[in-house]
Amino acid sequence: MLSGRQELLVRKIDDLFKQKFIFLDGAMGTMLQAGGLKLGERPEVLCITNPDEIFDIHKQYIDAGSNIVYANTFGANRHKLEGTGHSVDEIISAAVGIAKKACGNEAFAALDIGPIGELLEPAGALTFEEAYDIFKEMVVSGEKAGADLVVFETMTDLYEVKAAVLAAKENSDLPIVCTMTFEENMRTFTGVAISSMALTLEGLGVDAIGVNCSLGPKELYPVVEELCKWTNLPVVVKPNAGLPDPVT
């Protein structure tokens, strides 16, 4: 049973998703790199060590018109945080708190979750149950910290996506957005077809689906065009600014 706050939140986000266009934020990683993030540093730890920098990035996107900003939690899972001295709950609590503070009443703060960083069986050693538990830990911490919705992004493995979405559906009442990363051949790195993604995620009951990263706007256009043939859900498009120039 939803609490009063949760019911109001779900209605507000549902109304937002009914708009013709809504605006998400831009990249966090490139902004941090421009600010001096070193190779190998964990961006999520900056929520503890330099919260003002994270707040400023969120605020820049909100001032530019973003309706939703992604908390700096993309890699805040137990696997990637190992050795940092910080727990999943500590990082996510700090990150969501910063995002919520930046949003005020102007925007929504999403718990941002990327791939775990290990391949699931049979391609890798991580079991479905282990992946589910890793995502569950993040989702529970995010909802407790006050996240307005959950976003799974930059996914390539539909099996991992299933674990992620089920962990969110079964352990929180937050709206769920899921985006995967496609190549120009219309498949993800692990071979997932656009139709498979759309039918599976719509069947699992997510609130919006789409594509992010990997390609620039021009290259992603046919991918998005194909996706729209397979779903009636709101479609998210979050491309790279473009592809690197191999010459320069």
Side-chain angles (χ1 to χ4, degrees):
M1 185 174 182
L2 298 179
S3 67
R5 175 193 175 275
Q6 289 169 325
E7 286 183 354
L8 180 61
L9 174 62
V10 169
R11 285 202 300 271
K12 283 184 175 180
I13 293 181
D14 186 54
D15 289 342
L16 180 68
F17 284 174
K18 288 177 182 176
Q19 295 182 23
K20 187 172 183 179
F21 294 104
I22 63 175
F23 293 95
L24 305 177
D25 60 4
M28 173 64 72
T30 49
M31 294 287 277
L32 292 176
Q33 287 171 352
L37 181 71
K38 295 179 177 60
L39 187 66
E41 282 189 287
R42 291 248 52 90
E44 296 78 15
V45 175
L46 289 172
C47 296
I48 304 292
T49 61
N50 196 354
D52 290 344
E53 181 180 10
I54 306 302
F55 176 89
D56 182 62
I57 292 171
H58 289 320
K59 199 70 173 67
Q60 288 183 60
Y61 284 129
I62 292 166
D63 290 345
S66 294
N67 303 114
I68 298 173
V69 296
Y70 290 14
N72 184 31
T73 52
F74 180 84
N77 64 63
R78 71 178 71 149
H79 168 65
K80 290 187 175 179
L81 291 179
E82 189 174 354
T84 65
H86 299 285
S87 69
V88 170
D89 191 66
E90 182 183 9
I91 294 291
I92 288 180
S93 178
V96 172
I98 295 167
K100 292 282 288 183
K101 182 180 177 182
C103 287
N105 294 319
E106 298 180 70
F108 292 99
L111 172 67
D112 182 31
I113 302 179
I116 292 169
E118 288 189 23
L119 293 174
L120 272 68
E121 295 176 337
L126 191 67
T127 68
F128 184 89
E129 292 74 20
E130 288 170 330
Y132 177 99
D133 194 54
I134 288 170
F135 288 124
K136 174 184 174 181
E137 182 179 26
M138 297 179 74
V139 168
V140 169
S141 292
E143 184 169 41
K144 184 176 68 172
D148 298 315
L149 66 157
V150 178
V151 174
F152 297 107
E153 66 164 338
T154 324
M155 295 294 190
T156 63
D157 181 1
L158 196 54
Y159 197 37
E160 183 175 11
V161 171
K162 288 180 183 178
V165 173
L166 287 173
K169 294 288 287 187
E170 295 174 357
N171 296 283
S172 84
D173 294 307
L174 297 176
I176 301 169
V177 174
C178 188
T179 60
M180 298 189 76
T181 298
F182 287 88
E183 306 299 332
E184 288 185 276
N185 64 2
M186 301 282 196
R187 291 184 179 270
T188 71
F189 172 74
T190 62
V192 178
I194 295 169
S195 56
S196 299
M197 169 209 171
L199 295 173
T200 300
L201 293 180
E202 194 161 337
L204 287 171
V206 304
D207 298 277
I209 62 174
V211 296
N212 80 288
C213 209
S214 74
L215 301 171
K218 179 181 178 181
E219 293 81 12
L220 265 186
Y221 186 86
V223 176
V224 176
E225 192 174 40
E226 178 68 15
L227 176 60
C228 290
K229 297 176 183 177
W230 290 97
T231 185
N232 292 315
L233 291 173
V235 172
V236 177
V237 183
K238 214 177 186 192
N240 280 346
L243 294 177
D245 185 339
V247 176
T248 58

